[in-house]
C-alpha cells in the first residue's frame, strides 16, 4: 500500500519492445505481461515439469552424498532454522521431507532471537550438542556461520548448509553447501528462498534414492514431494524474494494444493484464523495474512511455536497454536503502532519530515523499542520517506541490533560491507540482501554509525532518481471493470515481488466518501460521463477526514473482487489518491 497523501508521479509501466507470441490472449493482458518482461507463453508455464534440474546447484552432489549416507545408516539429523517465516517453513520442509525419504526422526532447533541472535553460532552448537546429532542441516542460514560450523566440526558433527543469503568474503568450512547465491553458481535463479533451496535438495535426494532402488528395497512407495509445496509457497512469498519464473511455479503449485484442500493442518489453521477462504486464496494472502501471523512467533516469543503449528498433524492442536499466533500478531500490531508514533516524533525532532533536511540514510533508535518489531518499523518509515532506514533496539551487553530496509538502487548489504571495510571496528556483525539487512554494534558507536551510514548512502543516492513513482498498466474502460476481468487478472499470474500485480489509474468523480474503521476511506467512484458506480477502499489513510468532501480525484488502484455473504462484486483497492477538487 502506497503512503497516502505524499505526492507521487503516476507513470505508464514501461513495456518490453520485443516480438511476443501470446496467440489470441486479451490485448490488455498481453501488455501487462510485456511490461513484466514476459514475451512467450512458455514463460507463463507453471507446471512442475518446467522446473530446472536440482543438479544445476553447485554443491548438490556433495550434499546428497552426505544425506544418502545418513539415511542408509540412520544417523541423527538436527535441523537448525532461522526465526522468520522462511526459516520456519524451511524447517518444516526439511523435517517432513527427510522423514518421507527414510531418514531417522529429525529434530530441530531454532535460535530465540532475543537470547542467541541469528544463525548457527557456537552458542547454538552447544544446544545442538545436547541432542547428540551426527549431522546438522542448516535451513535459511549458515552461509555466514564460520565460527559455528568450526565449533560443530570440532565436536565431530557434520554440517550441511542450505541457505540463500549472500555469502561474505569467506565461506564456512561445512561438509556441503547449497546456495544459489554462491559465486558462479550455474543454477538459473538466485531468487530461491531458503524454503525453495531445501525443497530442491529433497528433489535431488529423492532422484538419487530412486536410482539406487531405495524405495523398492524398503518396500515403500516413492513419496510425492509436492505435498510440501504449501510450505514452499508460504515461505517464498513471506520472505519477499523475487517471483521469477521458478518461484512463480513453486508458489502457484502450493496455492493449488491449498485450494484443493490438500494443505497441512497448520496452514489450514492459519488460513482460518486469518479469515481467508482456502478455495480462493492468493499469493497476497500468504504475504499479508498468513506470513505475519507465523512471523509473530519469532518476533514476539519463540519461533518454535510457529514450527510446531506447521508440523502438527492434529487439526485441533494446529487450531489452538494458530490462535496463539494470532494473539501474538495482535500484540505485535499494538507495539508497532506505538513505535511508529515514537519514530515520527524522532523524525520531527531531526526535521527529517522536511525534504530539505531529510538524511540520505536514516537511523532511528529508542532504548524501549522491541527488538522483534524493528524490521517492520524500518519498512514503514522507509515507505514514508523513500530513503534507506535502519531501526535499532537494545540487545543487551551494551549492544544494539539494527534492522535495515532499502529502496531500489541502494543495495543495503553492500552499504554495510563498505562501512565495515572503511571502519573495521564499527560493526560487530552484519548480513542480508539488497533490500533488507541486519547488524549489531556497540551502543556508544551509534552516533558515529548514523553519520557514516548517511554519508555512505548519500554517495549512492546521487546516482539514482529519488522521485517516487507509481507505475500504472493504464486505464480501464467500464467494459473491463467487471468480475470476469478481475478473475482473469487474478488467475493470470502468481503476482508478487518483482512480478507486480497490475495497477491501473484514472480520473473519477467521487459520489461518496466516508471513513470506516478509523483509518480507512470507503469511496464510491464513477468515470466522468460514465454510468457505472464502483466501490473503492483505501486502507490506512493518514488523517482520512481530510478526504471527506472530495468531489473528483485521480486514483491508482488494483481491480479486486469483494466477497460478502456469498455475493461477489467489483471493487478498487486504492494504492494512491490525488485530490483534483
Amino acid at each position: 500500500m502506497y503512503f497516502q497523501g505524499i505526492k507521487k508521479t503516476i507513470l505508464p509501466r514501461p513495456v518490453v519492445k520485443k516480438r511476443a507470441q501470446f496467440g489470441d490472449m486479451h490485448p490488455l493482458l498481453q501488455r501487462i505481461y510485456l511490461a513484466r518482461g514476459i514475451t512467450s507463453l512458455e514463460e507463463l508455464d507453471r507446471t512442475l515439469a518446467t522446473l530446472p534440474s536440482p543438479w544445476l546447484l553447485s554443491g548438490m552432489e556433495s550434499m546428497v552424498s552426505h544425506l544418502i549416507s545418513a539415511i542408509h545408516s540412520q544417523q541423527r539429523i538436527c535441523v537448525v532454522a532461522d526465526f522468520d517465516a522462511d526459516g520456519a517453513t524451511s524447517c518444516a520442509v526439511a523435517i517432513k521431507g527427510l522423514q518421507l525419504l527414510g531418514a531417522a526422526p529429525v529434530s530441530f532447533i531454532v535460535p530465540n532471537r532475543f537470547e542467541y541472535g541469528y544463525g548457527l553460532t557456537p552458542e547454538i552448537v552447544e544446544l545442538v550438542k545436547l541432542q547428540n546429532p551426527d549431522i546438522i542441516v542448516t535451513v535459511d542460514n549458515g552461509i555466514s556461520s564460520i565460527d559455528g560450523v568450526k565449533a560443530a566440526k570440532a565436536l565431530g558433527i557434520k554440517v550441511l548448509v542450505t541457505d540463500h543469503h549472500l555469502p561474505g568474503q569467506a565461506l564456512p568450512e561445512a561438509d556441503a553447501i547449497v546456495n544459489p547465491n554462491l559465486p558462479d553458481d550455474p543454477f538459473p535463479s538466485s531468487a530461491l528462498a531458503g524454503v525453495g533451496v531445501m525443497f530442491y535438495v529433497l528433489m535431488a535426494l529423492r532422484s538419487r534414492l530412486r536410482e539406487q532402488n531405495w524405495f523398492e528395497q524398503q518396500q515403500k512407495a516413492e513419496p510425492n514431494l509436492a505435498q510440501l509445496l504449501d510450505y514452499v509457497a508460504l515461505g517464498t512469498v513471506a520472505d519477499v524474494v523475487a517471483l521469477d519464473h521458478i518461484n512463480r511455479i513453486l508458489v502457484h503449485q502450493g496455492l493449488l494444493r491449498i485450494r484443493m484442500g490438500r494443505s497441512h493442518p497448520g496452514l489450514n489453521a492459519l488460513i482460518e484464523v486469518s479469515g481467508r477462504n482456502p478455495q480462493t486464496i492468493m499469493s497476497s494472502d500468504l504475504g499479508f495474512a498468513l506470513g505475519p501471523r507465523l512471523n509473530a512467533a519469532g518476533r514476539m516469543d519463540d519461533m518454535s511455536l510457529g514450527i510446531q503449528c506447521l508440523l502438527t498433524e492434529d487439526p485441533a492442536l494446529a487450531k489452538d497454536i494458530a490462535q496463539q499466533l494470532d494473539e501474538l500478531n495482535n500484540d505485535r500490531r499494538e507495539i508497532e503502532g506505538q513505535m511508529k508514533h515514537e519514530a515520527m516524533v524522532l523524525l520531527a525532532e531531526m526535521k527529517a519530515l522536511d525534504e530539505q533536511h531529510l538524511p540520505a540514510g536514516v537511523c532511528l533508535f529508542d532504548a524501549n523499542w522491541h527488538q522483534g518489531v524493528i524490521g517492520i518499523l524500518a519498512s514503514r518509515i522507509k515507505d514514508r520517506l523513500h530513503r534507506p532506514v535502519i531501526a535499532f533496539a537494545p540487545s543487551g551487553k551494551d549492544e544494539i541490533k539494527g534492522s535495515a530496509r532499502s529502496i531500489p538502487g541502494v543495495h543495503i548489504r553492500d552499504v554495510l560491507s563498505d562501512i565495515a571495510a572503511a571502519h573495521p571496528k564499527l560493526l560487530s556483525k552484519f548480513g542480508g540482501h539488497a533490500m533488507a539487512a541486519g547488524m549489531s554494534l556497540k551502543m556508544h558507536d551509534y552516533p558515529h554509525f548514523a553519520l557514516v551510514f548517511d554519508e555512505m548512502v548519500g554517495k549512492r543516492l546521487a546516482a539514482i532518481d529519488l522521485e517516487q513513482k507509481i507505475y500504472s498498466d493504464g486505464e480501464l474502460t467500464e467494459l473491463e471493470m467487471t468480475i470476469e476481468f478481475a478473475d482473469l487478472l487474478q488467475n493470470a499470474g502468481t503476482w508478487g515481488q518483482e512480478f507486480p500485480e497490475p495497477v491501473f489509474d484514472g480520473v473519477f468523480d467521487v459520489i461518496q466518501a466516508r471513513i470506516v474503521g478509523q483509518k480507512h476511506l470507503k469511496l464510491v467512484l464513477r468515470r466522468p460521463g460514465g454510468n457505472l458506480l464502483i466501490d473503492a477502499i483505501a486502507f490506512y489513510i493518514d488523517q482520512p477526514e481530510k478526504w471527506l468532501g472530495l468531489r473528483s480525484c485521480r486514483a491508482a488502484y488494483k481491480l479486486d473482487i469483494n466477497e460478502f455473504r456469498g455475493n461477489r462484486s467489483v471493487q478498487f483497492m486504492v494504492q494512491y489518491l490525488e485530490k483534483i477538487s
Side-chain angles (χ1 to χ4, degrees), residues 57-58 143 163-168 171 177-187 189-194 197 241 411 432-433:
L57 284 155
S58 63
I143 200 64
D163 201 352
H164 71 124
H165 293 94
L166 295 172
L171 295 176
I177 300 175
V178 173
N179 182 337
N181 280 296
L182 288 177
D184 302 319
D185 194 286
F187 192 72
S189 170
S190 60
L192 284 177
V197 175
V241 293
H411 193 301
H433 302 293

Side-chain angles (χ1 to χ4, degrees), residues 291-337:
R293 285 168 171 83
L294 186 57
N295 268 324
R299 293 189 186 282
M300 306 301 294
D301 188 12
D302 188 327
M303 185 46 93
S304 297
L305 186 67
I307 295 172
Q308 288 168 13
C309 182
L310 297 176
L311 288 176
T312 184
E313 295 294 335
D314 181 347
L317 178 58
K319 185 174 182 178
D320 178 61
I321 298 175
Q323 287 172 342
Q324 294 180 55
L325 295 175
D326 190 51
E327 290 168 8
L328 286 172
N329 193 49
N330 290 335
D331 293 344
R332 187 270 304 168
R333 283 176 174 165
E334 188 173 331
I335 291 170
E336 179 196 334

Side-chain angles (χ1 to χ4, degrees), residues 449-470:
F449 176 83
L451 291 172
V452 171
F453 180 68
D454 182 30
E455 177 188 348
M456 290 288 190
V457 172
K459 292 177 182 178
R460 286 167 168 78
L461 290 188
I464 67 172
D465 182 2
L466 284 173
E467 183 182 30
Q468 297 196 59
K469 302 178 182 71
I470 295 174

Side-chain angles (χ1 to χ4, degrees), residues 33-312:
Y33 284 140
L34 283 169
R36 286 151 184 79
I38 304 296
T39 58
S40 69
L41 291 174
E42 286 75 17
E43 295 171 87
L44 299 172
D45 189 336
R46 294 179 288 186
T47 59
L48 290 173
T50 318
L51 289 173
S53 168
W55 299 106
L56 293 174
L57 284 155
S58 63
M60 189 63 85
E61 283 284 358
S62 178
M63 175 71 65
V64 168
S65 175
H66 286 293
L67 289 173
I68 290 274
S69 177
I71 290 173
H72 283 173
S73 56
Q74 292 293 279
Q75 293 175 348
R76 295 177 297 276
I77 299 173
C78 178
V79 175
V80 176
D82 187 17
F83 42 64
D84 65 1
D86 187 17
T89 52
S90 301
C91 185
V93 165
I95 291 173
K96 294 266 189 182
L98 288 170
Q99 291 179 172
L100 283 170
L101 293 171
V106 182
S107 63
F108 78 89
I109 281 181
V110 57
N112 183 306
R113 78 162 77 212
F114 309 110
E115 295 179 45
Y116 297 102
Y118 170 78
L120 180 68
T121 61
E123 293 80 10
I124 288 298
V125 170
E126 286 299 307
L127 289 181
V128 171
K129 183 175 70 172
L130 300 177
Q131 299 185 12
N132 195 29
D134 302 296
I135 295 177
I136 289 172
V137 175
T138 72
V139 290
D140 193 32
N141 76 95
I143 200 64
S144 59
S145 301
I146 293 172
D147 292 339
V149 169
K150 191 177 294 183
K153 300 278 285 179
L155 294 171
I157 305 172
K158 285 184 180 179
V159 182
L160 309 179
V161 170
T162 75
D163 201 352
H164 71 124
H165 293 94
L166 295 172
Q169 292 182 341
L171 295 176
E173 296 179 357
D175 294 272
I177 300 175
V178 173
N179 182 337
N181 280 296
L182 288 177
D184 302 319
D185 194 286
F187 192 72
S189 170
S190 60
L192 284 177
V195 68
V197 175
M198 189 62 224
F199 184 73
Y200 256 84
V201 167
L202 294 174
M203 285 199 295
L205 177 59
R206 182 183 62 178
S207 71
R208 186 55 47 82
L209 288 170
R210 182 192 299 138
E211 291 170 7
Q212 296 179 352
N213 296 318
W214 165 257
F215 303 108
E216 293 176 10
Q217 293 168 12
Q218 299 300 308
Q219 297 183 331
K220 61 184 289 186
E222 181 178 313
N224 181 6
L225 295 179
Q227 65 187 279
L228 304 173
L229 284 169
D230 55 341
Y231 296 140
V232 178
L234 175 54
T236 298
V237 174
D239 211 46
V240 203
V241 293
L243 290 191
D244 62 4
H245 190 198
I246 295 170
N247 281 335
R248 292 199 301 274
I249 293 169
L250 295 173
V251 173
H252 175 71
Q253 292 294 328
L255 287 169
L256 286 182
R257 294 194 68 83
I258 297 171
R259 292 170 190 160
M260 291 186 294
R262 296 181 181 175
S263 51
H264 290 88
L267 254 79
N268 293 335
L270 286 170
I271 293 167
E272 182 181 351
V273 82
S274 303
R276 297 306 195 266
N277 182 350
Q279 295 178 334
T280 58
I281 194 164
M282 308 297 293
S283 55
S284 57
D285 297 316
L286 300 180
F288 295 111
L290 275 67
R293 285 168 171 83
L294 186 57
N295 268 324
R299 293 189 186 282
M300 306 301 294
D301 188 12
D302 188 327
M303 185 46 93
S304 297
L305 186 67
I307 295 172
Q308 288 168 13
C309 182
L310 297 176
L311 288 176
T312 184

